[in-house]
Amino acid sequence: MPTVQHTVIDSPYDALTLVAVDGVLSRIHMTDQRHRPAEETFGQPDRRPFDEAIRQLDAYFAGELTEFDLPLKLIGTPFQLRVWEQLTLIPYGETRTYGELAEALGSPGASRAVGLANGKNPVSIVVPCHRVIGASGSLTGYGGGIGRKRRLLAFESGTAEPGALF
């Protein structure tokens, strides 16, 4: 049976709950996040597995880190895993549409499926699902809420102060 541990950290976007499976970051949950599992699934409180993730998240929120380099244990379907891998290829400060991601996956008609997989991303911010927008440029869907998505995009585009509370 896997060992599951969690810790809660502060961020400019509210508290973040980090969850590790067998010592590897597996999930990041925002307060009031859509698809947030029951807290009973978060395992025992223990900050030790998260030192590097916390260091990198702090650097990101300080505007000093633009690309995460963390081992992840992502649990999802093969299609979801492919979508989440594509999300990591979207450069800091840039966006892609659901259609562009579907095309990059070799499935140009799968933008709706890409959107569903994007919404189930278990490690938001580190796997930057906030960088995906609608075909019209609209800020459609985000498990952490459209307000957080807007703030993360403004932060990355340089129109918000690094680490500023919104």
Side-chain angles (χ1 to χ4, degrees), residues 95 98 130-142 145-154:
T95 59
Y98 296 100
H130 61 279
R131 295 179 188 158
V132 183
I133 60 174
S136 67
S138 60
L139 301 185
T140 60
Y142 183 61
I146 295 295
R148 280 191 188 111
K149 181 174 187 165
R150 181 178 295 110
R151 294 187 306 254
L152 283 164
L153 290 173

Side-chain angles (χ1 to χ4, degrees), residues 75-129:
I75 300 166
T77 67
F79 183 75
Q80 288 172 331
L81 293 171
R82 287 179 53 221
V83 170
W84 301 336
E85 177 63 29
Q86 279 296 311
L87 295 175
T88 66
L89 302 177
I90 304 172
Y92 180 91
E94 294 184 23
T95 59
R96 298 290 183 272
T97 67
Y98 296 100
E100 288 172 328
L101 285 177
E103 193 135 331
L105 288 165
S107 302
S111 58
R112 184 178 300 264
V114 166
L116 291 172
N118 191 57
K120 296 280 185 154
N121 171 20
V123 243
S124 57
I125 300 174
V126 171
V127 174
C129 53

Side-chain angles (χ1 to χ4, degrees), residues 29-101:
H29 300 292
M30 298 176 181
T31 306
D32 301 324
Q33 174 182 333
R34 189 174 9 138
H35 306 300
R36 182 182 168 108
E39 292 193 18
E40 298 82 54
T41 68
F42 295 171
Q44 296 298 313
D46 187 346
R47 190 175 172 100
R48 288 175 297 174
F50 305 102
D51 289 342
E52 183 60 17
I54 292 168
R55 187 191 71 72
Q56 288 190 33
L57 284 163
D58 286 347
Y60 169 81
F61 292 129
E64 300 163 356
L65 180 85
T66 60
E67 188 175 323
F68 291 93
D69 183 20
L70 292 168
L72 300 174
K73 185 176 186 96
L74 302 180
I75 300 166
T77 67
F79 183 75
Q80 288 172 331
L81 293 171
R82 287 179 53 221
V83 170
W84 301 336
E85 177 63 29
Q86 279 296 311
L87 295 175
T88 66
L89 302 177
I90 304 172
Y92 180 91
E94 294 184 23
T95 59
R96 298 290 183 272
T97 67
Y98 296 100
E100 288 172 328
L101 285 177

